[in-house]
Amino acid sequence: MVIPTQEEEAAKRILAIDDGVEITQLISMLLSANGYEVDVALSGRDGLLHAMKQMPDLILLDYMMPDKDGIEVLQELRQIPGYEDLPVIMLTAQAKGDVIQQAKKLNICEYVLKP
């Protein structure tokens, strides 16, 4: 019998940063049901503050938000020591090539279009 380590037993923490209440509720419900610990921030500014207080294992990040867009959040995150390689998936309805290129330059894991 393999006994999991304390690190393996701990739920992976995911931070969802999106100004859409419905999408964050859906993300939280689906991921929580699969054993993840999900935190939510409804703005880029709040998401940055939350991420700095407690580093998540993964960030799901919207591009279009009123206070700081996803690119601005990524730029600030990548300047924080220890956050340079933090996995980030951008979830957005924005399909512009220049936005995708900017996000890729900032080391995102994936760029996923919302329906």
Side-chain angles (χ1 to χ4, degrees):
M1 178 168 106
V2 176
I3 299 173
T5 66
Q6 188 175 22
E7 184 177 291
E8 290 170 333
E9 284 184 359
K12 296 294 182 188
R13 180 181 303 276
I14 297 174
L15 173 59
I17 306 173
D18 194 312
D19 62 329
V21 174
E22 295 85 12
I23 193 76
T24 55
Q25 288 174 339
L26 179 62
I27 288 169
S28 184
M29 180 186 68
L30 291 172
L31 294 174
S32 295
N34 284 289
Y36 295 95
E37 186 175 322
V38 181
D39 297 315
V40 171
L42 296 174
S43 73
R45 184 172 293 122
D46 288 345
L48 277 170
L49 292 173
H50 192 88
M52 287 188 284
K53 286 181 188 174
Q54 187 166 5
M55 184 188 281
D57 296 300
L58 171 72
I59 294 179
L60 300 175
L61 177 63
D62 187 19
Y63 169 68
M64 294 185 290
M65 293 181 283
D67 60 350
K68 287 185 182 284
D69 68 34
I71 297 298
E72 292 170 319
V73 172
L74 272 171
Q75 287 171 333
E76 290 187 39
L77 273 175
R78 296 305 188 214
Q79 293 176 10
I80 301 169
Y83 288 73
E84 303 91 350
D85 296 318
L86 178 69
V88 176
I89 296 173
M90 189 167 279
L91 300 173
T92 185
Q94 185 65 271
K96 291 183 181 176
D98 60 328
V99 173
I100 295 169
Q101 290 305 320
Q102 284 180 302
K104 287 182 179 181
K105 287 179 185 176
L106 291 165
N107 196 24
I108 63 163
C109 294
E110 193 62 52
Y111 192 95
V112 179
L113 293 177
K114 293 184 208 176

